Amino acid sequence: MNYKFTTPIEMPRSTHYGNNYWIFESRKLHRRVTAYSNLEYENLLTLEMNPEVVYYCEQPCSTTVFVSGKEHKTIFDVYIVYKNGREEFQEVKYQQELDSDSPKGKRSQEQIEIQKMWCLQNDFPYVLRTDKDIEKGQYFIRNLSVLSAKARRFHIESKEADKAIISYLSKIKRTTIGLLSESGRFEINKTLDYLSDLYYRGIIKFDDICNDCLTNKTEVIFCGI
């Protein structure tokens, strides 16, 4: 599939208003991805580990919108393509930045309205994501970070092993990480590596991943293929 936006705009760190700076290897994109704030990184991490997302591009394009004869320029945070073909632009903001009384409130609101207008004119869905949408629970991002790191390094390369593991999980439907480790179907100390790969692909999910750390007691639920 040919995606409309594939080259991120380079943003000099010294001139970007955001704080912090992240670079990570994307298994989904086969390249390094850059985020310019903690929240942008967290959002990209959720896209990286969402099996419904087939493609995304950070800082995908700079555009200009004219409002009342005045030129307004803006850069979107991320462009996304889902399995069902839906394309989407997202802007990422902390909820407190949207407060009209905050130092960034007015600027943030103006930016959002400009982006909404451009998306409306160009027939793209537009989604505003805040920390309340992204940080779903105390442990969600922490767990995703662990799973993402393992999924980047480990792929189930043997088709026979992949088929056998999926067949086993499809029969039991629900179990724990600890019981899977004891089942003898995984290499010693590599159970979470296998499960991270399956989670990345959307074949399994973990129960209560938002509110508790991943442990041997964490339940694994088969989702199907």
Side-chain angles (χ1 to χ4, degrees):
M1 180 176 179
N2 293 322
Y3 302 114
K4 293 183 176 69
F5 303 93
T6 58
T7 305
I9 295 172
E10 293 188 13
M11 304 284 289
R13 292 177 62 180
S14 59
T15 60
H16 196 276
Y17 74 90
N19 59 352
N20 297 312
Y21 186 81
W22 295 82
I23 297 178
F24 67 93
E25 293 289 340
S26 168
R27 172 175 169 177
K28 190 164 286 184
L29 304 181
H30 307 290
R31 65 169 175 81
R32 287 186 175 183
V33 174
T34 303
Y36 294 90
S37 73
N38 288 341
L39 194 62
E40 285 184 20
Y41 164 70
E42 291 174 357
N43 187 55
L44 292 175
L45 187 61
T46 66
L47 301 177
E48 178 73 16
M49 296 302 287
N50 183 349
E52 295 303 313
V53 173
V54 296
Y55 180 82
Y56 64 90
C57 181
E58 76 281 20
Q59 312 293 329
C61 70
S62 175
T63 188
T64 300
V65 176
F66 288 90
V67 180
S68 300
K70 186 177 179 180
E71 181 180 272
H72 298 269
K73 291 185 178 180
T74 188
I75 298 175
F76 291 93
D77 281 334
V78 60
Y79 160 76
I80 302 158
V81 181
Y82 294 91
K83 273 185 179 180
N84 62 8
R86 172 186 168 93
E87 296 174 285
E88 179 180 286
F89 279 96
Q90 289 184 357
E91 181 65 19
V92 177
K93 297 287 185 190
Y94 285 101
Q95 187 65 45
Q96 64 183 20
E97 292 181 35
L98 304 177
D99 188 342
S100 58
D101 295 328
S102 73
K104 295 181 179 179
K106 184 177 179 181
R107 181 185 184 280
S108 294
Q109 293 291 352
E110 289 178 350
Q111 180 186 21
I112 291 166
E113 290 306 314
I114 289 167
Q115 292 182 345
K116 282 183 178 178
M117 187 178 299
W118 185 88
C119 285
L120 182 63
Q121 292 171 351
N122 291 274
D123 198 26
F124 282 108
Y126 178 76
V127 174
L128 172 65
R129 299 200 78 200
T130 71
D131 45 315
K132 291 184 178 180
D133 303 310
I134 297 166
E135 299 168 355
K136 294 181 179 179
Q138 183 179 358
Y139 294 97
F140 181 58
I141 296 300
R142 183 186 302 181
N143 287 331
L144 276 193
S145 182
V146 171
L147 294 171
S148 176
K150 289 183 175 295
R152 283 197 300 270
R153 297 191 301 265
F154 182 87
H155 301 202
I156 302 178
E157 296 180 354
S158 167
K159 291 183 179 179
E160 290 75 17
D162 192 41
K163 184 177 180 180
I165 291 169
I166 291 174
S167 175
Y168 175 65
L169 290 172
S170 68
K171 292 175 182 177
I172 60 174
K173 301 299 182 183
R174 191 179 186 119
T175 185
T176 67
I177 294 177
L179 289 175
L180 286 173
S181 295
E182 296 169 3
S183 70
R185 288 172 168 79
F186 300 88
E187 296 176 46
I188 297 175
N189 298 325
K190 282 194 174 182
T191 301
L192 194 56
D193 291 337
Y194 280 95
L195 295 179
S196 296
D197 182 64
L198 295 172
Y199 180 89
Y200 171 86
R201 292 155 57 192
I203 296 171
I204 64 164
K205 63 181 179 180
F206 296 101
D207 187 45
D208 208 20
I209 193 176
C210 299
N211 301 306
D212 203 358
C213 283
L214 289 168
T215 69
N216 280 340
K217 295 181 180 180
T218 301
E219 289 196 315
V220 179
I221 303 165
F222 180 72
C223 299
I225 54 176

